[in-house]
Amino acid sequence: MSRWLAVFALGLGLTISLFLLLHWPVQAAPPPTYRYVATTGNDSLNDCRNSAYPCRTVQHAVDVAGSTNIILVAEGVYTDLHTRPVPAGYMTPPASDIITQVLYVGKTVTIRGGYTTGFTEPPDPSAHSTTLQVPVGQRGRVVVIVGDVQPVLYGLRIVNGDATGLGGGWGNRDAGGGVYIFTATATLDTNAILGNVAYDGGGLYLVRSAATLVDNLIAENTASEGSGAGFYLHASDATLRRTTLYANIASLHGGGGFLDYSNAELTGNTLFSNRATGSGGALFLKWYSAATLTGNTIESNNAGYQGGGVYLNYSNAVLDANIIESNTADDNGGGLALGDSGALLMANVIVSNGAGARGGGVYIRYGDPDLDRNIVRSNSARWGGGLYLENSDAVLTNTVVTGNQAPSNGGGSGLYIVDSSPRLLHTTISGNSGGDGSGVYVTDEPGSGSAGDVALTNTILASHGVGITVTVGNTATLEGILLYANSINWGGEGSISYAHEVWGDPHFSADGYHLSSGSAALNAGVGAGVTTDIDGDPRPYCTAPDLGADEAVGDFACQNIYLPAVLRNN
């Protein structure tokens, strides 16, 4: 009996609890408290709550605001400089133990610019410019955000900051001319960070901050002696989305941005016409910054040394579906340069980049990255117009290397491979020109004791002066190879072994790598463990995989094309 009473009591308790949840009045969230700022306002004895009687400085409004308050800032230019004591834990304190800025934020508030002086909604930052600016000829940051806070900055122009003498950076450097964020989880939305300067991080410097940047413009900032002219992330797993980085200039590395121990996410950004005197014209990823770059456009940037677009140094980053176009490096890696990095590059288009020495599209030295479903097209360099691999056992899968060039005194217009043992699976290498005429060049550095040894499986090698050149002491193993329209298929005094070769027209479509009806590459491959093609189509589509990066699908894809082409097994 007691057991049934216990069950009844439990059921009754649950019923009452459910009734209370359904019928108890829900406490509504309190309405936000608004504060108002205009250049015509007055800070004296003003708590900024009256839109007809606003405060004059954004700093005063922040000081009187409570957490979660919303501060509306009218159009105009705000230039008042303020000082604060150096915050606890601040890296590299300045000699004076104070820092100077237009705005210091140490609480969770929202600051919105772009309003008329009547504060009509919605704000429009493009029509009603709200500018926070360090006065010309003076020094100080524009914005400092510090502490365990989550402020939001929206619709502000952050202009003319100069962090000289303010410290705050790694290695006793002055950092963050426009915005300096220290241990805060800030959100910057639809701001313009323009014309700021610092040793490192001219536009923006983050320290241990998982900030979010969305729809910002970061332009014409300068890293006067260091790196990260647009932004510098130090131990900060930040997120950047739909942000434009334009015409930023770094004296060392990372014209657009510099990542140091930072697993950031960069998605849908545009990095255009940035410059680094050293490496990483657009981006430099250093010291285990396993960042993820997805869907970015990296175009027309320049590096004085390596990585005109992006330089990876000890970074296992993921680069997915980026467009890397028309970047230049005076030395190596016009589009990308990788040093000691086991990165993953997939579905990127690397086109029309140029390097003065090695790797017009991609330069890899040490590290064994994976390259999957990339297009490397119309790049140029003296050695390795498309790709240059040195001391690297990289794996290239479903890769297109086409239309790349080397000058007359160079070599390996498609790929130049030295002291490396890469694997190329389902690669289309076609129409590369110049240099010694080789689409692929395999060699070693004299005295290195590390010969080149390349394996090409299910490859199309077409339309070169020499399909593949292997110098003495080096090795190439070709299994499943389509040879077409090369003046000479192989050259050099090294060892070349080949099996399951096919002779015939690949019948490329207009893009130079998709297969069309009658292609000699159809169903002519060997099993290589690759289950999809460059488009994600299943491989094989029919009984055997196609050669090259594309697996044809459709009515024509399963035709047997061995006759009149010739199939020969060695």
Side-chain angles (χ1 to χ4, degrees):
M1 185 67 179
S2 59
R3 185 179 65 180
W4 292 109
L5 286 174
V7 171
F8 175 78
L10 177 60
L12 180 61
L14 291 173
T15 302
I16 294 171
S17 298
L18 179 61
F19 178 85
L20 292 175
L21 286 173
L22 293 174
H23 295 86
W24 198 266
V26 176
Q27 185 68 39
T33 298
Y34 290 95
R35 314 274 176 169
Y36 302 89
V37 181
T39 56
T40 55
N42 191 331
D43 288 347
S44 180
L45 301 177
N46 193 345
D47 67 2
C48 314
R49 295 196 192 201
N50 189 335
S51 61
Y53 181 51
C55 296
R56 189 181 62 82
T57 66
V58 185
Q59 185 65 71
H60 182 70
V62 170
D63 291 344
V64 300
S67 290
T68 72
N69 281 194
I70 299 175
I71 299 169
L72 311 185
V73 189
E75 59 192 328
V77 181
Y78 299 84
T79 59
D80 295 75
L81 289 174
H82 307 271
T83 60
R84 289 289 189 275
V86 171
Y90 182 88
M91 294 198 307
T92 317
S96 62
D97 290 328
I98 62 170
I99 53 175
T100 303
Q101 56 281 314
V102 175
L103 177 60
Y104 183 100
V105 180
K107 58 182 68 172
T108 298
V109 292
T110 296
I111 303 170
R112 295 182 191 159
Y115 285 92
T116 66
T117 54
F119 298 100
T120 54
E121 294 284 358
D124 186 348
S126 60
H128 306 289
S129 176
T130 301
T131 301
L132 309 185
Q133 177 177 330
V134 173
V136 176
Q138 298 190 47
R139 289 178 175 173
R141 297 188 177 101
V142 183
V143 177
V144 172
I145 302 173
V146 174
D148 184 14
V149 294
Q150 299 85 41
V152 177
L153 274 63
Y154 171 87
L156 304 173
R157 294 180 76 251
I158 296 168
V159 179
N160 201 43
D162 184 344
T164 301
L166 294 176
W170 182 86
N172 297 318
R173 296 171 179 170
D174 300 322
V179 181
Y180 180 87
I181 303 177
F182 181 73
T183 68
T185 310
T187 298
L188 277 64
D189 184 351
T190 318
N191 303 286
I193 302 173
L194 310 172
N196 303 283
V197 62
Y199 189 113
D200 288 331
L204 177 74
Y205 194 98
L206 274 64
V207 181
R208 299 195 299 277
S209 171
T212 299
L213 282 72
V214 182
D215 293 323
N216 297 283
L217 170 65
I218 304 175
E220 299 180 351
N221 301 284
T222 303
S224 57
E225 299 178 72
S227 300
F231 67 86
Y232 190 119
L233 307 183
H234 177 78
S236 295
D237 298 343
T239 299
L240 281 77
R241 296 196 303 269
R242 300 188 305 275
T243 287
T244 298
L245 292 114
Y246 170 74
N248 301 285
I249 300 175
S251 294
L252 287 179
H253 309 304
F258 187 97
L259 283 69
D260 184 15
Y261 291 104
S262 298
N263 299 335
E265 296 183 9
L266 282 70
T267 304
N269 304 288
T270 299
L271 297 95
F272 180 78
S273 290
N274 301 284
R275 157 78 179 167
T277 302
S279 297
L283 292 170
F284 190 115
L285 279 65
K286 182 180 180 182
W287 296 126
Y288 313 106
S289 293
T292 300
L293 282 63
T294 305
N296 302 285
T297 299
I298 301 169
E299 182 177 356
S300 299
N301 303 281
N302 172 258
Y305 183 34
Q306 299 187 118
V310 181
Y311 185 87
L312 307 181
N313 180 249
Y314 292 97
S315 169
N316 295 338
V318 176
L319 277 69
D320 181 9
N322 301 284
I323 297 173
I324 302 171
E325 181 173 3
S326 300
N327 303 283
T328 56
D330 295 356
D331 199 353
N332 302 324
L336 292 166
L338 285 72
D340 296 280
S341 297
L344 171 60
L345 312 179
M346 55 186 180
N348 301 286
V349 177
I350 304 167
V351 59
S352 300
N353 303 283
R358 303 168 185 86
V362 182
Y363 172 82
I364 302 171
R365 187 171 187 266
Y366 299 108
D368 305 323
D370 287 329
L371 284 73
D372 183 17
R373 295 176 287 123
N374 298 284
I375 297 174
V376 182
R377 184 180 68 235
S378 301
N379 304 282
S380 63
R382 183 175 178 184
W383 297 286
L387 300 98
Y388 183 100
L389 280 69
E390 180 179 353
N391 288 287
S392 172
D393 297 342
V395 178
L396 282 68
T397 307
N398 294 324
T399 301
V400 172
V401 183
T402 183
N404 301 285
Q405 295 183 329
S408 58
N409 61 345
S413 56
L415 298 96
Y416 194 99
I417 299 169
V418 56
D419 293 339
S420 299
S421 300
R423 294 183 64 208
L424 279 65
L425 305 172
H426 287 283
T427 305
T428 298
I429 306 170
S430 67
N432 303 287
S433 63
D436 70 324
S438 299
V440 181
Y441 194 95
V442 183
T443 189
D444 60 326
E445 286 290 339
S448 68
S450 178
D453 183 6
V454 59
L456 291 82
T457 304
N458 292 340
T459 299
I460 296 175
L461 194 56
S463 303
H464 302 98
V466 182
I468 181 169
T469 297
V470 181
T471 64
V472 64
N474 299 279
T475 302
T477 302
L478 287 60
E479 184 175 12
I481 180 83
L482 187 152
L483 299 161
Y484 178 74
N486 302 299
S487 299
I488 302 172
N489 286 316
W490 28 68
E493 298 179 0
S495 173
I496 301 176
S497 62
Y498 47 93
H500 303 286
E501 72 270 27
V502 176
W503 310 78
D505 191 338
H507 282 292
F508 293 131
S509 60
D511 60 20
Y513 68 94
H514 280 104
L515 305 178
S516 60
S517 180
S519 172
L522 297 176
N523 309 300
V526 299
V530 178
T531 58
T532 58
D533 76 344
I534 191 169
D535 303 314
D537 294 327
R539 187 193 294 279
Y541 183 75
C542 299
T543 57
D546 297 342
L547 300 175
D550 177 44
E551 182 78 10
V553 297
D555 293 340
F556 72 90
C558 296
Q559 61 186 286
N560 188 318
I561 46 74
Y562 293 154
L563 295 175
V566 178
L567 174 65
R568 182 175 64 188
N569 295 326
N570 272 10

